Amino acid sequence: MRIAMRLGSVLFLMIYCHLSMAQSESHQLTLRGTLELEESLGDIIDVKQLVYPGLGVGVWTDPIIVGEDGQFEWLLKSVELPTWFELHLPPWTWEVLVLPDESSELVLRSIPNQSMRLQGVPGEAVWVESPAYKALLKLDVFQLQAMDALYEPVVELVEARSNSNLDSLDQLLDTYDLSFDSLCNVVVGELVDQVFRDGLWERRLIWKRNLGMSDVYLDSLWNQWQLERRDQIELTALNSLHIFRGLEVVLGDWWLDERSFDWDEVDQSLRYHSMDSLKNAMGPRWANVSVEELAGAWLIMAKKAPSRRVGRVWQEVPFPAGYEEAFNALVKDRNRGSQGTKVEDFLVVSPNGSPIPLSQFCPEPWKVILLIKSESAMSKREREVFGSLQSMINRPEIGWCILTIEHSNEAWEKLLDSRGRIESMGRVGNNPLVMEELGIGTLPQVVILDPNFKIYQNRTPLPSQGLMEVIQRILVISRR
């Protein structure tokens, strides 16, 4: 069982340090860095190594312990190719590229004015001693400044509802576009590794798309990129975030353009179980694309617009093995936290501060869990109704517990002080693994685990919105 919590207690840090030291002999790469989030100093960062970066699918690895001064050492096994990781400290998530010989210092920061949610809020990760990162940062800064400068002219044109200023706006766009191209020509000389040149190409595609360049122009840029990397076969759209996102820019939401192909023909082509038949049915645009690009197109659709039709295409057409594996991994990852999936036992901190597995914290066969984050008005109301239901249905086969996704020790102590007589309350911290396992999207939320530790149903109603009916069905099932 994996221990992964952001609780700040001495006990947990001691456990983490012990585990890290015990495993350090197998680690071959030590990276150093700084976390620039004052409220999270002395915290724990969870690490996911991305197997398929463009899909966000990966495996959880050893966490990073942050010191009270914000400094940390990241111990990981050596990487043979440039490898993408996600670092999680909810609500923040950082995308980090690690090179086989990486020696720079990593700085993790927040980004101002982000839309906040429970997790997945993008932060800024910078290798401060890397010339390549500094070079690419020049392009990012230029694009931000250009978008700010172009905002007012575009708004004025829209508000005027007139074409009189179109020429001047076109000239302004051309000026910025030429400046961007010139900067790219300068920056490319500072990028030795192909993975950073891929980052340059991705930025070029995004810039040109934002300027409204045609599909033909974007296709031409994509082909130039692929021609440059024709000998770089170790990085593909499956293991390179830059290449996958570049393909997303070029193809866009291709399945929405029904003028280019007939879905009925696509459906009929599946009986031949052939990629060539599928390409022919999809129309002229797809005639000259590579097998990998066609597979990538359907992988993008599986990511953005999953449906039975997409699933049938993957079932009937023999895509390259690596892409089929990526699709299957995406489906499995997407099903986490949904009805019927088994949840790994995880640690809960009891009111006395002891970390114990959920299976012991709530030992009854059926586990009815109310998840909350803070004492909002809605959380208070649901806690009250939850307690009323517990009093009404006092059955040995059903366990009732309240788990808080609370990061703050102060907030946790206030919750304990407000605890009712029958409330069983535990803390899991802002733990991305628990959120992923239980499918937590909003709070408060109810999750029910059956005797096999499987999620009973999707979107279980809150106590005030119909939880009683669900419990009554469970009582019928448990009597059988």
Side-chain angles (χ1 to χ4, degrees):
M1 183 191 308
R2 188 177 178 282
I3 303 172
M5 296 190 184
R6 251 130 274 43
L7 298 174
S9 70
V10 174
L11 174 61
F12 270 93
L13 289 178
M14 288 175 63
I15 293 174
Y16 267 96
C17 288
H18 175 74
L19 290 176
S20 298
M21 290 175 64
Q23 298 176 11
S24 62
E25 292 182 2
S26 63
H27 292 293
Q28 301 175 30
L29 188 59
T30 301
L31 304 175
R32 291 174 173 80
T34 304
L35 176 66
E36 296 185 352
L37 294 176
E38 290 186 5
E39 69 276 13
S40 297
L41 301 185
D43 222 317
I44 295 167
I45 301 173
D46 281 293
V47 180
K48 179 186 286 188
Q49 182 172 341
L50 296 178
V51 181
Y52 302 108
L55 305 177
V57 175
V59 293
W60 293 99
T61 64
D62 296 330
I64 298 171
I65 303 170
V66 182
E68 295 294 338
D69 58 355
Q71 303 297 306
F72 62 81
E73 285 191 350
W74 179 9
L75 307 175
L76 71 162
K77 296 177 181 178
S78 62
V79 294
E80 297 180 0
L81 294 173
T83 303
W84 288 94
F85 293 84
E86 278 183 356
L87 306 187
H88 292 258
L89 182 53
W92 301 101
T93 298
W94 296 272
E95 292 175 344
V96 178
L97 174 65
V98 176
L99 300 184
D101 57 350
E102 188 62 72
S103 60
S104 299
E105 179 180 339
L106 179 65
V107 174
L108 304 176
R109 306 184 180 112
S110 61
I111 299 178
N113 304 319
Q114 291 291 302
S115 175
M116 300 306 289
R117 48 188 184 272
L118 284 178
Q119 58 178 330
V121 180
E124 181 184 34
V126 179
W127 294 103
V128 294
E129 300 167 11
S130 169
Y133 271 90
K134 292 178 180 178
L136 292 176
L137 184 60
K138 296 176 185 176
L139 295 178
D140 296 335
V141 171
F142 177 89
Q143 291 189 61
L144 288 173
Q145 292 175 342
M147 291 300 106
D148 286 343
L150 290 168
Y151 177 78
E152 288 189 10
V154 171
V155 170
E156 290 176 1
L157 181 65
V158 172
E159 291 179 346
R161 299 180 183 276
S162 167
N163 294 331
S164 58
N165 295 326
L166 272 178
D167 289 342
S168 59
L169 180 59
D170 283 343
Q171 291 175 3
L172 186 59
L173 290 174
D174 288 342
T175 299
Y176 275 105
D177 193 25
L178 287 172
S179 298
F180 181 79
D181 287 340
S182 298
L183 183 57
C184 285
N185 292 334
V186 172
V187 165
V188 71
E190 304 175 46
L191 306 177
V192 177
D193 294 303
Q194 181 62 47
V195 65
F196 294 117
R197 298 173 75 92
D198 290 339
L200 173 63
W201 279 105
E202 179 199 345
R203 287 165 171 80
R204 288 187 67 188
L205 281 169
I206 293 174
W207 170 261
K208 299 296 183 179
R209 180 198 60 189
N210 290 341
L211 289 187
M213 298 298 186
S214 67
D215 291 341
V216 173
Y217 185 90
L218 296 178
D219 287 342
S220 175
L221 269 186
W222 170 261
N223 291 332
Q224 292 176 48
W225 180 4
Q226 300 316 299
L227 186 63
E228 177 186 287
R229 35 181 343 278
R230 62 185 180 275
D231 297 326
Q232 305 291 329
I233 59 174
E234 70 276 7
L235 291 178
T236 69
L238 290 181
N239 59 11
S240 169
L241 189 59
H242 294 313
I243 299 173
F244 191 90
R245 285 180 174 169
L247 190 60
E248 285 185 302
V249 171
V250 172
L251 297 180
D253 295 338
W254 60 267
W255 55 90
L256 299 180
D257 186 11
E258 297 189 1
R259 298 167 299 174
S260 62
F261 61 89
D262 188 322
W263 278 111
D264 289 335
E265 291 184 13
V266 171
D267 292 336
Q268 292 175 17
S269 73
L270 300 183
R271 60 184 174 180
Y272 297 107
H273 310 287
S274 163
M275 290 195 72
D276 287 337
S277 297
L278 179 63
K279 287 173 66 173
N280 292 334
M282 291 173 65
R285 177 185 182 185
W286 304 92
N288 297 318
V289 301
S290 67
V291 169
E292 288 75 17
E293 289 169 1
L294 183 66
W298 284 96
L299 196 56
I300 291 170
M301 185 177 181
K303 171 188 172 182
K304 293 185 174 181
S307 66
R308 291 183 179 178
R309 168 176 273 150
V310 176
R312 183 165 175 247
V313 169
W314 281 95
Q315 182 178 7
E316 300 293 342
V317 177
F319 289 109
Y323 285 85
E324 288 190 351
E325 292 167 3
F327 171 75
N328 292 331
L330 174 64
V331 172
K332 182 179 179 180
D333 188 75
R334 182 175 283 135
N335 286 337
R336 283 197 176 96
S338 60
Q339 179 177 334
T341 57
K342 189 169 183 176
V343 173
E344 286 191 25
D345 205 356
F346 54 86
L347 289 182
V348 175
V349 174
S350 63
N352 66 11
S354 300
I356 60 175
L358 177 66
S359 56
Q360 296 178 26
F361 182 78
C362 185
E364 293 82 1
W366 289 85
K367 298 166 181 36
V368 182
I369 305 169
L370 175 63
L371 294 134
I372 61 175
K373 181 172 174 64
S374 61
E375 277 295 84
S376 64
M378 187 173 185
S379 291
K380 288 181 179 179
R381 182 181 72 243
E382 297 304 333
R383 275 182 63 190
E384 291 174 0
V385 182
F386 191 76
S388 299
L389 294 181
Q390 181 178 359
S391 299
M392 295 170 57
I393 307 175
N394 186 14
R395 298 290 296 271
E397 65 268 40
I398 297 181
W400 304 75
C401 68
I402 298 172
L403 298 182
T404 173
I405 312 293
E406 192 59 65
H407 176 70
S408 164
N409 286 324
E410 181 181 354
W412 166 235
E413 290 170 0
K414 288 182 65 175
L415 281 174
L416 289 180
D417 291 341
S418 69
R419 189 172 31 143
R421 181 179 57 83
I422 64 172
E423 284 184 318
S424 176
M425 185 175 293
R427 182 183 182 193
V428 292
N430 55 342
N431 187 335
L433 284 80
V434 173
M435 295 182 191
E436 186 177 89
E437 286 283 305
L438 298 181
I440 300 172
T442 58
L443 293 174
Q445 182 173 329
V446 173
V447 175
I448 299 176
L449 301 181
D450 69 15
N452 296 315
F453 241 70
K454 292 182 178 180
I455 294 177
Y456 176 60
Q457 68 177 43
N458 295 327
R459 295 183 294 277
T460 299
L462 290 170
S464 66
Q465 299 174 359
L467 179 59
M468 171 65 86
E469 289 78 5
V470 179
I471 302 300
Q472 289 173 338
R473 291 200 300 270
I474 290 174
L475 291 174
V476 172
I477 294 173
S478 63
R479 293 192 189 104
R480 293 174 183 170

